[in-house]
Amino acid sequence: MGRRLVLLTLDNLPDLPERCRSCVFWELDPVSGEAAVKTGTAALEKESWISAVLLDWGSCGRVVYVDEVPVGYVLYAPPAYVPRSTAFPTSPVASDAVQLITAFILPDYQGQGLGRVMVQTVAKDLLRRGFKAIEAFGDARWKEPACVLPADHLLAVGFKTVRQHHAYPRLRLELRSTLSWKEDVEMALDRLLGAVQKEPALRPL
């Protein structure tokens, strides 16, 4: 089975699941997001957001392919680019962290370790770019795929709870603690996924 993770760009944005291509839950504040949905401009807003983050900050996501079929993706960015994050009861995301915004894997490809590999890939990227941690809001009552990741999944791939909440805890993965498995990450990427494109070093905000 050939697996690879490719940088998310405007060119492969159409490979995201249809409902995700027009979802602006994270990319806009609640009022603007609702307005975009009502006016039918959500997909354009999503494309505009990705374009702006790519130009201003750099890589903000990966698309997962298995045998050249797109099966999932992950999206991440500093909290300054994620307006919805301020609406959560456990906000704000720490200033030294990048927010793991959301991720998704098609049901037929779940349970194969792709979620862990996605997190490892993001960790490798952010370590290279000089960041200290990844933070995410988890859904403690998660029942089905949604914009907020299940808290149990985040805990399973190495995150720790930094602010408790009955519904939306905030979790954190210290990238320095991943140095011990950094070589394993490199091996997983090189052997299982193929060479990941090298990116210029970008300074954190």
Side-chain angles (χ1 to χ4, degrees):
M1 187 189 306
R3 311 186 204 176
R4 63 191 182 102
L5 268 68
V6 177
L7 298 179
L8 174 64
T9 67
L10 296 181
D11 292 333
N12 58 18
L13 179 59
D15 287 344
L16 268 58
E18 185 175 354
R19 66 186 182 91
C20 299
R21 294 198 300 269
S22 58
C23 176
V24 288
F25 177 86
W26 290 106
E27 293 83 355
L28 299 176
D29 64 79
V31 174
S32 300
E34 185 177 345
V37 171
K38 285 183 177 179
T39 58
T41 59
L44 289 175
E45 292 284 0
K46 180 88 165 193
E47 183 175 322
S48 177
W49 183 88
I50 290 174
S51 177
V53 177
L54 285 171
L55 288 171
D56 192 29
W57 183 67
S59 174
C60 61
R62 294 289 192 280
V63 182
V64 185
Y65 296 88
V66 175
D67 294 335
E68 303 306 316
V69 176
V71 302
Y73 77 101
V74 60
L75 199 62
Y76 55 98
Y81 294 98
V82 192
R84 173 74 69 154
S85 66
T86 60
F88 277 72
T90 49
S91 66
V93 170
S95 60
D96 64 348
V98 167
Q99 183 179 342
L100 179 64
I101 299 172
T102 193
F104 178 75
I105 296 174
L106 292 175
D108 289 347
Y109 294 87
Q110 293 174 8
Q112 300 179 18
L114 290 174
R116 183 175 294 275
V117 172
M118 284 199 300
V119 171
Q120 291 174 339
T121 304
V122 175
K124 178 191 174 186
D125 178 32
L126 297 178
L127 273 170
R128 187 173 67 244
R129 293 160 75 169
F131 289 94
K132 293 183 178 180
I134 309 170
E135 290 196 359
F137 297 103
D139 185 350
R141 302 176 297 187
W142 188 90
K143 293 182 179 179
E144 60 185 18
C147 299
V148 184
L149 295 170
D152 286 348
H153 173 75
L154 293 168
L155 292 169
V157 296
F159 282 76
K160 307 294 183 185
T161 303
V162 291
R163 190 170 177 190
Q164 292 279 2
H165 190 267
H166 67 280
Y168 298 113
R170 179 160 51 87
L171 302 100
R172 181 178 174 98
L173 178 65
E174 297 287 348
L175 295 180
R176 294 299 176 192
S177 70
T178 67
L179 290 176
S180 61
W181 50 256
K182 188 177 180 183
E183 290 185 3
D184 293 334
V185 176
E186 298 282 354
M187 289 171 60
L189 293 170
D190 292 342
R191 295 181 182 180
L192 297 179
L193 309 175
V196 174
Q197 282 183 286
K198 296 297 182 182
E199 302 169 86
L202 297 175
R203 299 175 64 182
L205 292 175

